[in-house]
Coordinates of all heavy atoms in Angstrom, one line a residue:
N284 N -13.2 14.3 51.7 CA -14.2 13.3 51.4 C -15.4 13.3 52.4 O -16.5 12.9 52.0 CB -13.5 11.9 51.3 CG -14.5 10.8 51.1 OD1 -15.0 10.1 52.0 ND2 -14.9 10.6 49.8
Y311 N -10.7 7.6 37.6 CA -9.8 7.4 38.8 C -10.5 7.9 40.1 O -10.5 7.2 41.1 CB -8.5 8.1 38.6 CG -7.5 7.8 39.6 CD1 -6.6 6.6 39.5 CD2 -7.3 8.6 40.8 CE1 -5.7 6.3 40.5 CE2 -6.4 8.2 41.8 CZ -5.6 7.1 41.6 OH -4.7 6.8 42.6
I312 N -11.1 9.1 40.0 CA -11.8 9.6 41.1 C -13.0 8.7 41.5 O -13.2 8.4 42.7 CB -12.3 11.0 40.9 CG1 -11.1 12.0 40.7 CG2 -13.2 11.5 42.0 CD1 -11.5 13.3 40.2
K313 N -13.7 8.3 40.6 CA -14.9 7.5 40.9 C -14.5 6.1 41.5 O -15.1 5.7 42.5 CB -15.7 7.2 39.6 CG -16.5 8.5 39.1 CD -17.2 8.2 37.8 CE -18.1 9.4 37.4 NZ -19.2 9.6 38.3
N314 N -13.4 5.5 40.9 CA -13.0 4.3 41.5 C -12.4 4.4 42.9 O -12.6 3.6 43.8 CB -11.9 3.6 40.5 CG -12.5 3.2 39.2 OD1 -13.7 2.8 39.2 ND2 -11.7 3.1 38.2
Y315 N -11.6 5.5 43.1 CA -11.0 5.7 44.4 C -12.0 6.0 45.4 O -12.0 5.5 46.6 CB -9.9 6.8 44.3 CG -9.2 7.0 45.6 CD1 -8.3 6.0 46.1 CD2 -9.3 8.2 46.4 CE1 -7.6 6.2 47.3 CE2 -8.7 8.3 47.6 CZ -7.8 7.3 48.0 OH -7.1 7.5 49.2
E316 N -13.0 6.8 45.1 CA -14.0 7.1 46.1 C -14.9 5.9 46.5 O -15.6 6.0 47.5 CB -14.9 8.3 45.6 CG -14.2 9.7 45.8 CD -15.2 10.8 46.0 OE1 -16.2 10.8 45.3 OE2 -15.0 11.6 47.0
Q317 N -14.9 4.9 45.6 CA -15.7 3.7 46.0 C -15.2 3.1 47.3 O -15.9 2.4 48.0 CB -15.7 2.7 44.9 CG -16.5 3.0 43.7 CD -17.9 3.3 44.0 OE1 -18.5 2.5 44.7 NE2 -18.5 4.3 43.4
S318 N -13.9 3.3 47.6 CA -13.3 2.8 48.8 C -13.5 3.8 50.0 O -13.0 3.5 51.1 CB -11.9 2.5 48.6 OG -11.1 3.7 48.4
K319 N -14.1 4.9 49.7 CA -14.2 6.0 50.8 C -15.7 6.0 51.2 O -16.6 5.5 50.6 CB -13.8 7.3 50.2 CG -12.4 7.3 49.5 CD -11.3 7.1 50.5 CE -11.0 8.3 51.4 NZ -9.9 8.0 52.3
P320 N -15.9 6.7 52.4 CA -17.3 6.8 52.9 C -18.3 7.5 52.0 O -19.5 7.1 51.9 CB -17.1 7.6 54.2 CG -15.7 7.3 54.6 CD -14.9 7.2 53.3
K321 N -17.8 8.5 51.2 CA -18.8 9.2 50.4 C -18.3 9.3 48.9 O -17.1 9.3 48.7 CB -18.9 10.6 51.0 CG -19.6 10.6 52.4 CD -19.8 12.0 52.9 CE -20.5 11.8 54.3 NZ -20.9 13.1 54.9
Q322 N -19.2 9.4 48.0 CA -18.9 9.5 46.6 C -19.6 10.9 46.1 O -20.7 11.1 46.4 CB -19.5 8.4 45.8 CG -18.8 7.0 46.1 CD -19.3 6.4 47.4 OE1 -20.4 6.3 47.7 NE2 -18.3 6.0 48.2

Side-chain angles (χ1 to χ4, degrees):
N284 179 261
Y311 189 85
I312 293 170
K313 289 179 175 290
N314 290 334
Y315 184 66
E316 280 209 315
Q317 289 301 315
S318 65
K319 308 294 286 184
K321 298 184 179 184
Q322 293 77 48

